[in-house]
Amino acid sequence: SKEILSILTSNSYRDETIETIIKEKLIGLGPITIKDYLELDTMIKVLLLRIFELNKEVLNKSDINIEYIQDSQIYATGKIYIKGKGEYQSVITSGTSIELAKGAVARGGTITASQEIIAGSVGSGGGVITKLVVDKTGVIKANKTYQNTIVVIGEKEMRLDHIQEKIKATLGEDGFIAIENFY
């Protein structure tokens, strides 16, 4: 932790999020202030997200092509293309876009892309919660969504409460999520 702080300050690059977590929770008496494992898990997620954001700024775009994802976390600075069965209860994050091949399903978990998500079947008849997240200028397209699919665009969030087919979700001019059908 001290070495990371040293690197941050020696490069004249300050990252308040990372510095605060390290100083308050990971060095000195910081670890004894951690109440339970959930707080530690939250810190890990915040740090991973911040590292991912920093990598987007620094690294070249790297794409991932994968057949099947289950109970996993996948991060890419470029595009993620899921060409097999799909994803189940996973956290998938792309710096650009995520596309699930025809026939691939998204069942549970969180799928996040800055620009675009293209999916076939999202959720399940049993109502598993599946979250699709894009930036405020992003687009989400899905051939079929089930109840409990959550669409997040920028700061706005909408839970779909029934089966819908061939949807395209964007942030409308009024600042609310607009869902239209595409063919």
Side-chain angles (χ1 to χ4, degrees):
S1 295
K2 288 181 182 179
E3 188 175 328
I4 291 170
L5 284 175
S6 172
I7 291 168
L8 287 174
T9 56
S10 70
N11 289 332
S12 302
Y13 179 80
R14 305 299 296 241
D15 189 291
E16 191 174 313
T17 304
I18 294 174
E19 286 182 35
T20 301
I21 290 174
I22 291 173
K23 288 177 181 176
E24 293 180 5
K25 297 294 182 178
L26 299 179
I27 59 175
L29 297 175
I32 64 172
T33 66
I34 298 173
K35 295 173 186 69
D36 57 26
Y37 75 94
L38 293 174
E39 186 177 352
L40 190 58
D41 190 48
T42 300
M43 281 191 297
I44 291 169
K45 287 179 182 173
V46 167
L47 289 172
L48 285 173
L49 182 60
R50 188 62 193 127
I51 289 167
F52 178 75
E53 290 168 353
L54 291 171
N55 282 338
K56 279 192 341 188
E57 295 172 14
V58 176
L59 299 177
N60 293 330
K61 302 281 187 235
S62 296
D63 298 338
I64 294 177
N65 291 303
I66 194 162
E67 292 283 331
Y68 174 76
I69 305 167
Q70 182 171 350
D71 295 319
S72 300
Q73 294 183 8
I74 305 288
Y75 298 92
T77 53
K79 180 178 180 177
I80 297 175
Y81 183 68
I82 303 168
K83 54 187 178 176
K85 290 181 179 181
E87 77 80 25
Y88 298 83
Q89 295 295 340
S90 296
V91 175
I92 304 168
T93 306
S94 164
T96 58
S97 64
I98 298 173
E99 183 176 346
L100 284 84
K102 186 177 182 179
V105 298
R107 298 249 163 87
T110 302
I111 300 173
T112 304
S114 62
Q115 299 169 5
E116 181 178 50
I117 297 172
I118 300 172
S121 176
V122 180
S124 71
V128 65
I129 295 173
T130 308
K131 187 180 269 193
L132 305 174
V133 182
V134 293
D135 291 350
K136 66 181 179 178
T137 58
V139 176
I140 298 171
K141 293 180 183 177
N143 286 329
K144 187 172 190 176
T145 58
Y146 289 88
Q147 67 274 11
N148 285 333
T149 296
I150 299 171
V151 174
V152 180
I153 302 177
E155 300 292 319
K156 299 294 182 180
E157 181 174 309
M158 175 187 285
R159 181 184 300 262
L160 306 179
D161 58 2
H162 61 280
I163 295 173
Q164 296 187 46
E165 296 198 23
K166 300 203 181 289
I167 68 159
K168 176 182 176 184
T170 57
L171 198 60
E173 291 180 13
D174 59 0
F176 292 98
I177 294 175
I179 296 185
E180 59 187 87
N181 291 80
F182 72 92
Y183 296 96

